[in-house]
Amino acid sequence: ATSNDLNKQNKVFDETDDVLDKVGGELSETADNLDKMSNALQGAGQGATTFGDVLKANLAADFIKNSIREFVDLLRQAAAYCYQVGSSFEAGMSQVAAVSGASGAELEQLTAKAKELGAATKFTATETAEALNYMAMAGWKTEEMLDGIDGVLSLAAASGADLGTTSDIVTDALTAFGMTAADCSHFADV
């Protein structure tokens, strides 16, 4: 997921909040109208007021029905987005597994680290999976990836660069200088 995707997700949630606020307001207004209608029905001489209240209640019910449809559509969009993000992450981690040969407990460690960094940093878990994939392509083993990812994240955050690209550059440079994954944090600092 990119920051554009995250902005879209935030927009969907903001629109959902707006719809919920509208629905809540209309529900309150509808309850008030129903109270008025009930009082109006008790007075036989208030036929015109009752008709007006019934009309208002019907209009409010239509608005609520449309708002609920809009809310359900927004929920569908949010669910589709979440599915897409999850699918992208799973595909990224499958690629890491295929390239690195990590399986079982090693893949679980890499997946947990990617999720942890996705939750704790400005980078998503999917972006972290991409960085891990570049490390795997450089021949790094699971422990080397786990040790080196923090340095790569720090460098990408400091430079404002794409995480995958930064990982590719760092792994290439470390190899060129005859350095190892253990030197990643020092390399990123320098």
Side-chain angles (χ1 to χ4, degrees):
T2 64
S3 53
N4 258 353
D5 291 333
L6 294 176
N7 288 338
K8 286 179 189 175
Q9 180 186 19
N10 287 336
K11 184 179 178 189
V12 168
F13 287 127
D14 289 343
E15 290 172 357
T16 303
D17 286 342
D18 291 344
V19 170
L20 285 175
D21 289 342
K22 287 179 188 176
V23 169
E26 287 301 316
L27 286 175
S28 266
E29 189 176 322
T30 300
D32 291 343
N33 286 336
L34 289 174
D35 286 342
K36 288 178 186 176
M37 189 169 61
S38 175
N39 292 336
L41 287 172
Q42 291 175 3
Q46 298 178 357
T49 303
T50 302
F51 177 75
D53 288 340
V54 168
L55 182 61
K56 282 183 187 177
N58 284 336
L59 291 174
D62 285 343
F63 176 79
I64 290 170
K65 199 171 24 173
N66 291 335
S67 295
I68 289 172
R69 281 189 189 125
E70 187 178 331
F71 175 68
V72 169
D73 286 343
L74 290 172
L75 286 177
R76 283 185 186 137
Q77 290 174 14
Y81 175 78
C82 290
Y83 176 77
Q84 177 188 10
V85 168
S87 295
S88 296
F89 174 70
E90 291 302 320
M93 290 310 297
S94 291
Q95 190 172 5
V96 170
V99 173
S100 70
S103 62
E106 290 177 333
L107 185 58
E108 287 177 20
Q109 286 178 310
L110 291 170
T111 301
K113 184 69 169 182
K115 286 179 181 179
E116 172 193 327
L117 293 172
T121 68
K122 77 174 205 161
F123 299 105
T124 66
T126 303
E127 291 171 318
T128 304
E130 182 184 3
L132 292 171
N133 189 50
Y134 280 108
M135 292 174 178
M137 285 190 283
W140 291 16
K141 300 299 175 205
T142 300
E143 283 304 315
E144 293 171 316
M145 288 188 267
L146 292 171
D147 291 339
I149 191 68
D150 290 321
V152 171
L153 268 127
S154 296
L155 182 59
S159 67
D162 174 74
L163 182 56
T165 303
T166 302
S167 180
D168 188 23
I169 291 168
V170 168
T171 56
D172 288 349
L174 286 174
T175 301
F177 288 121
M179 301 170 86
T180 66
D183 300 315
C184 190
S185 290
H186 175 71
F187 180 84
D189 289 343
V190 172

